[in-house]
Every structure is written in structure tokens, then in C-alpha cells.
């Protein structure tokens, strides 16, 4: 190993240990009640954070802090957090293993899969997987939606449709506006099982 690289790695170790203790403190004190200790929330009202991309999570935390994404609960949680704390939390939750959700309406999954895989050409909607990936894993700029709670997905689609969620891809507002409520539910049911 090159001396400079070895020195940099050694310098980063104590900070990583300190960050880990701080992150664990934040997770248990602020995050776990709603999102679970490993980011796999048991309540369908709160999103699963496990396996989400760290860049996406950091953006959402910063958006809540700056008031660019609305949530009175999250505003309170992030009010006193600094960016290094947010980076640590984003990294922590991104390393956790995602879990599939439970389907409330399993009979809708086939329709949801068709929407996800084929879109609705007659409405000008392309397949969801083209942006979110085959299994809904997302990217640094798009959320992991595979395995997410169906109710949470459906709620977010409705917020996009109503233009009440504006901190993310504006294209989602146009997409959600073209989806009927039963299509939103079908998509959510399919995605929850991925």
C-alpha cells in the first residue's frame, strides 16, 4: 500500500468510529420510532429507508431541513442536525438490507406489474422500470421503491398528483396526474412485494 494512502486510511479510522457512535445515537434517539432501528419501518405511514441510496437520502434530509419538502414531523427531527450527521444517517440506512412489504390487495399485483413493466402508452406513460430499475432499486437521484410500503407509495403518488410534493423530479407530477387512483394502488401493491 502506498504510504500516503495508508496514512489517509489511518486518519479516517477514528473519525469513522466517532461517526458510527453518533449515528447510532441519532438512529436510536430520532429515527427508530418511525423508521425502525434498521430502516425497515413496520408502519405503512413511514417509508422504509433500508437500502435506499445515500445520495437520495441525504437530499431528502436536506430538503426537509430547508423546507423544500413538507413534513412537520421530519422538520422537527432534522432541525438541529448538521450535514455530517445527515451524511452519516444516509450512509447507515443505505447499508441496511431492504425487506419486501406486505400486500393489502394482492389481487391487484398483476395489473400493477403490467403498469410497471409496460406503462400506459395510450396515456403517454412509459414503463416505470425505465427510470426506477427492474426491481425498483432506483438510483442516486431516484428512490428505491421496490419493497416500500404500498400505502406510502400510493400516498406519495397522490402528493405528486396534487403538486404538494415538489422537491423531486417534476416529471413525477406529470406521471401521477395521468394515473387513475386504482392504477396508483395497483402499482403500489406490485412494488411493495419486490
Amino acid at each position: 500500500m502506498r504510504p500516503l494512502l495508508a496514512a489517509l486510511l489511518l486518519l479516517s479510522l477514528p473519525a469513522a468510529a466517532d461517526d458510527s457512535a453518533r449515528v447510532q445515537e441519532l438512529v436510536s434517539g430520532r429515527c427508530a420510532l418511525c423508521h425502525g432501528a434498521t430502516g425497515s419501518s413496520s408502519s405503512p405511514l413511514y417509508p422504509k429507508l433500508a437500502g435506499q441510496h445515500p445520495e437520495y437520502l441525504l437530499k431528502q434530509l436536506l430538503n426537509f431541513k430547508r423546507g423544500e419538502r413538507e413534513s412537520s414531523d421530519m422538520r422537527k427531527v432534522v432541525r438541529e442536525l448538521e450535514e455530517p450527521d445527515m451524511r452519516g444517517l444516509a450512509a447507515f440506512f443505505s447499508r441496511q438490507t431492504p425487506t419486501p412489504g406486505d400486500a393489502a390487495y394482492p389481487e391487484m399485483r398483476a395489473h400493477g406489474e403490467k403498469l410497471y413493466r409496460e406503462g400506459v402508452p395510450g396515456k403517454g406513460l412509459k414503463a416505470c422500470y425505465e427510470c426506477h430499475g427492474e426491481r425498483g432499486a432506483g438510483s442516486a437521484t431516484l428512490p428505491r421503491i421496490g419493497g416500500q410500503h404500498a400505502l406510502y407509495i400510493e400516498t406519495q403518488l397522490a402528493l405528486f398528483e396534487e403538486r404538494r410534493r415538489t422537491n423531486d423530479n417534476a416529471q413525477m407530477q406529470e406521471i401521477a396526474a395521468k394515473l387513475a387512483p386504482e392504477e396508483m394502488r395497483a402499482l403500489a401493491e406490485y412494488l411493495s412485494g419486490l
Side-chain angles (χ1 to χ4, degrees):
M1 185 177 289
R2 294 188 172 141
L4 179 58
L5 180 59
L8 290 173
L9 286 174
L10 286 174
L11 286 174
S12 69
L13 289 178
D18 292 343
D19 288 348
S20 179
R22 172 69 175 153
V23 166
Q24 286 301 319
E25 176 188 324
L26 290 170
V27 168
S28 61
R30 295 185 188 214
C31 308
L33 182 63
C34 298
H35 297 287
T38 61
S40 288
S41 70
S42 58
S43 170
L45 299 175
Y46 303 107
K48 293 181 178 186
L49 305 178
Q52 199 61 262
H53 297 272
E55 300 89 349
Y56 182 81
L57 285 173
L58 177 60
K59 178 190 181 301
Q60 299 309 307
L61 289 169
L62 289 168
N63 287 171
F64 283 125
K65 183 163 182 149
R66 296 173 186 151
E68 297 165 353
R69 182 171 176 191
E70 187 52 46
S71 169
S72 56
D73 291 338
M74 283 302 298
R75 268 296 221 5
K76 292 173 194 169
V77 169
V78 300
R79 182 180 303 140
E80 297 166 10
L81 293 181
E82 298 299 328
E83 191 169 331
D85 292 331
M86 293 183 206
R87 285 185 185 283
L89 288 169
F92 171 81
F93 285 118
S94 73
R95 291 190 302 265
Q96 306 307 307
T97 304
T99 58
D102 296 321
Y105 303 97
E107 68 280 3
M108 300 182 88
R109 288 183 51 96
H111 182 54
E113 181 174 15
K114 184 174 180 170
L115 290 167
Y116 191 78
R117 302 260 168 237
E118 299 173 20
V120 186
K123 291 184 179 183
L125 291 172
K126 64 181 185 176
C128 306
Y129 83 89
E130 291 181 26
C131 293
H132 289 279
E134 284 291 325
R135 306 272 309 150
S139 68
T141 58
L142 296 170
R144 166 182 285 282
I145 53 177
Q148 190 58 264
H149 293 297
L151 178 62
Y152 183 78
I153 293 171
E154 196 174 345
T155 301
Q156 295 309 300
L157 287 170
L159 290 173
F160 278 120
E161 177 193 23
E162 298 164 4
R163 297 187 182 274
R164 291 175 49 204
R165 179 154 177 198
T166 59
N167 74 310
D168 278 325
N169 188 341
Q171 185 179 15
M172 279 306 302
Q173 295 171 353
E174 297 168 23
I175 291 167
K178 294 178 182 178
L179 290 169
E182 62 272 10
E183 290 172 323
M184 289 182 188
R185 178 162 293 161
L187 273 169
E189 289 296 325
Y190 171 66
L191 289 166
S192 71
L194 292 181

